[in-house]
Amino acid sequence: MEPAAALVGPEVVEQLETDGLVVAATDARRRTRVRVAVPVVGEVLAHEVPLLRRRRLQVEVAGAIDALVGSGQGGRRDLLQAVRLRLDAGGALAPGEALVAAQEAWRTFDAALTERLARIAVAEGAGIEAEILVARGVAQQGRAAEADAALAALVAGARGDAERVAAVAARAELLVFFSDAARTAIAAIEAVEAQVADPALLVDLVAKRGLLLHSLGESVAALSLLEPLLDDLRDDTLRLACFAVATGATATGQGSVALAACDRAERAGRATGSDPMLVELSRCAALGMLGRLDEAMALTRRRYDEAVADGARHRQAWFAWARGGLLISKGHAGAAARWCTEARALLAEVGHRPAERLAANDLARALAVAGRPDEAEAVLASVDEVESSGGLFGDDGVRLVAQGWIRAARGDHDGARALLRRAAEVHGAVGHHYPALHALADVARVGGVVGVQDEVRRLAALVEGDLAHAQVLLVDALAAEDPGALLVAADALERVGFDLGAAEAAMVAADHLEHRGDRRAAAAAAHRAAALLGRCGSPATPATRVRDEPPVLSGREQQVAALAGAGRSNRDIAEELVLSVRTVETHLQRAYQKLGITSRDQLGPALAGAGR
């Protein structure tokens, strides 16, 4: 707001807003930002301004932004906007400014500006750091082969260990995230390790190899390599190693190790001013594994909103995906599908092909659980057009889970169970106890409880947190066909935020109670299940369809129950409806039985929970 007001005065800005030509809004950091209401109109007007006048205005706006930043009110995006304006005006940057600005552009994921500024810095003689930034900007714009060739040349022509390590580390990073070539990246690092004499640099390089093993889903190998190195690492390498330890520990079920690594990575990041995104994504995953889903959801929402306010599409993509994954864990399939759809589109936009594929697998699973198998299959078919990520970050197991739920949505329960068992085997083969446990619990949820109980208990003993314990309760209760135990499991699952699992447990309990002739208890369990399913957006899984809908109230029962729930006496109701008091009592007793309640005080909540 301040730069615009400084140029034309606050009254003019207010009039432009009144006329609908600009829009003013407060971002997540409580800063007022002004933009042209229709961007294309702004572009047309800018092109109609004579060149010399446009350049003068660009310089003036840049100066106003500089003053704002200098006063401590601006942020990174403002700094970069001022640099861009000066460049567009044909002006020069101060010595060293291009490199600093290129670093900021990379941190805010503006790939085109990163490349542009880094090339200026290279021309100024900024050295290998600027050349690496050029490659990063190039790769993120979809020119991965060009970036890899440039970095390979930097490795070959490096002058000393420091340059060689920096170049090969950057090359490995881009090979993983933009070319789906983690094995090639590991080979590149191993080739350079033999050439590095500096012990500190060698430790850093070995740590980066551990990061790559983690990215391939080989968490046990990565943890065994990285954990002994942590005390010898510093700055960004320590932060990234802690990130890998945190995410690997989450996959293997070690929640306390994961959160401790997140704390350490956070401290290292603060010391270097690094973007905390990776650490916070790891924290969300660890919290979710431990059954602290609502805490994790709050963190993803906050960081997502900040990313939107900052215009950071990259961070927006990752936190949208994280939120979608947490919603899948809660069983809110429809909402998960919306978030995963956004994440997938944004990840494609910023060029993260492996992550795009993983988000698509999560999207397919969410759609299948929501009862939309045709859409889910279409998503997986479109993913097949993107080259395989080679098991990156557990891709193979995640895809099998999605395929299993598609089979379940089509009614092929045998096929679903086979795919989910295979997913558990794939996760278990690399020591990923947490997703393996959930895949086996999914087998039980699709009617395959026989034969999975012992393995579920074994895995749950390796996985920390209340969510794992709740899964054991669910599987044991399903095996015992015990409605009381199922309702206990529903309580445990609801406490950790797994609403769909709780709904399924309550629904199966209702079915068993119905068959035992306890209609009142069955109705109560069914209505509880219906309320939980309402939170989830009414997904369609086999366990939610084990029984018909609970009996609905007749028209007269509905009238009587509504009046009684509003506090009217039986005599008042009889007079209003022209019935005998005995008839009113009969209708109320029938309503109590259908709703699974025993008194008038319970009528209001029961009628509300039933959607009446």
Side-chain angles (χ1 to χ4, degrees), residues 446-588:
V446 185
V449 69
V450 176
V452 302
Q453 263 185 292
D454 290 343
E455 184 64 7
V456 164
R457 288 175 183 162
R458 184 189 73 80
L459 288 169
L462 300 172
V463 176
E464 297 177 26
D466 294 337
L467 181 54
H469 174 65
Q471 295 278 34
V472 173
L473 292 178
L474 173 63
V475 172
D476 284 349
L478 288 170
E481 298 184 347
D482 181 343
L486 282 162
L487 292 174
V488 169
D491 290 339
L493 291 164
E494 186 176 4
R495 278 195 301 272
V496 297
F498 185 13
D499 294 330
L500 179 54
E504 291 175 346
M507 188 64 80
V508 176
D511 185 54
H512 289 312
L513 289 165
E514 184 78 31
H515 282 92
R516 294 182 184 189
D518 192 343
R519 296 184 64 190
R520 174 166 285 149
H527 283 296
R528 180 184 178 187
L532 287 163
L533 286 173
R535 292 184 202 168
C536 301
S538 301
T541 63
T544 63
R545 296 187 290 240
V546 296
R547 71 192 302 270
D548 295 330
E549 290 294 317
V552 296
L553 302 185
S554 68
R556 185 63 82 184
E557 289 164 354
Q558 165 66 33
Q559 285 180 303
V560 170
L563 290 169
R568 304 285 291 278
S569 69
N570 287 358
R571 185 169 299 281
D572 288 342
I573 296 170
E575 290 177 1
E576 178 167 334
L577 299 181
V578 193
L579 299 171
S580 70
V581 172
R582 182 177 294 277
T583 300
V584 168
E585 291 172 349
T586 299
H587 285 314
L588 270 180

Side-chain angles (χ1 to χ4, degrees), residues 166-338:
V168 77
R171 185 184 178 211
E173 172 193 317
L174 298 189
L175 281 168
V176 169
F177 285 105
F178 298 102
S179 299
D180 301 348
R183 294 293 179 193
T184 302
I186 289 174
I189 284 182
E190 288 175 335
V192 170
E193 282 179 23
Q195 305 172 40
V196 176
D198 185 308
L201 290 173
L202 182 58
V203 167
D204 275 6
L205 199 55
V206 172
K208 287 180 171 61
R209 179 157 54 87
L211 294 173
L212 293 173
L213 288 170
H214 160 68
S215 73
L216 285 167
E218 298 178 16
S219 299
V220 175
L223 287 171
S224 65
L225 184 62
L226 289 170
E227 285 191 282
L229 298 177
L230 292 181
D231 289 338
D232 297 320
L233 299 175
R234 296 291 180 272
D235 301 332
D236 270 353
T237 305
L238 173 60
R239 178 179 63 87
L240 291 171
C242 288
F243 155 71
V245 168
T247 50
T250 297
T252 57
Q254 303 170 71
S256 56
V257 172
L259 290 180
C262 286
D263 291 341
R264 190 167 184 175
E266 199 170 73
R267 291 193 296 271
R270 281 198 299 268
T272 60
S274 301
D275 189 331
M277 181 186 78
L278 291 177
V279 178
E280 290 180 331
L281 289 168
S282 298
R283 189 180 297 280
C284 288
L287 291 171
M289 187 213 76
L290 291 168
R292 295 159 62 180
L293 287 166
D294 290 339
E295 190 177 341
M297 289 282 289
L299 178 56
T300 58
R301 180 81 234 194
R302 186 166 65 252
R303 295 304 183 226
Y304 172 86
D305 288 343
E306 289 175 359
V308 171
D310 289 341
R313 307 284 278 176
H314 183 279
R315 277 191 287 128
Q316 181 182 343
W318 284 88
F319 282 110
W321 181 22
R323 191 168 179 81
L326 290 169
L327 285 163
I328 289 173
S329 296
K330 290 178 71 67
H332 297 196
R338 291 191 292 276

Side-chain angles (χ1 to χ4, degrees), residues 113-183:
L113 187 59
T114 298
E115 180 188 359
R116 182 181 181 186
L117 290 166
R119 290 194 185 280
I120 293 172
V122 169
E124 292 176 346
I128 192 168
E129 187 175 2
E131 293 182 275
I132 288 172
L133 283 168
V134 170
R136 285 173 167 164
V138 165
Q140 194 160 357
Q141 293 175 80
R143 292 142 53 202
E146 178 186 340
D148 184 57
L151 289 171
L154 284 179
V155 173
R159 295 168 295 183
D161 284 351
E163 286 194 0
R164 190 172 293 110
V165 168
V168 77
R171 185 184 178 211
E173 172 193 317
L174 298 189
L175 281 168
V176 169
F177 285 105
F178 298 102
S179 299
D180 301 348
R183 294 293 179 193

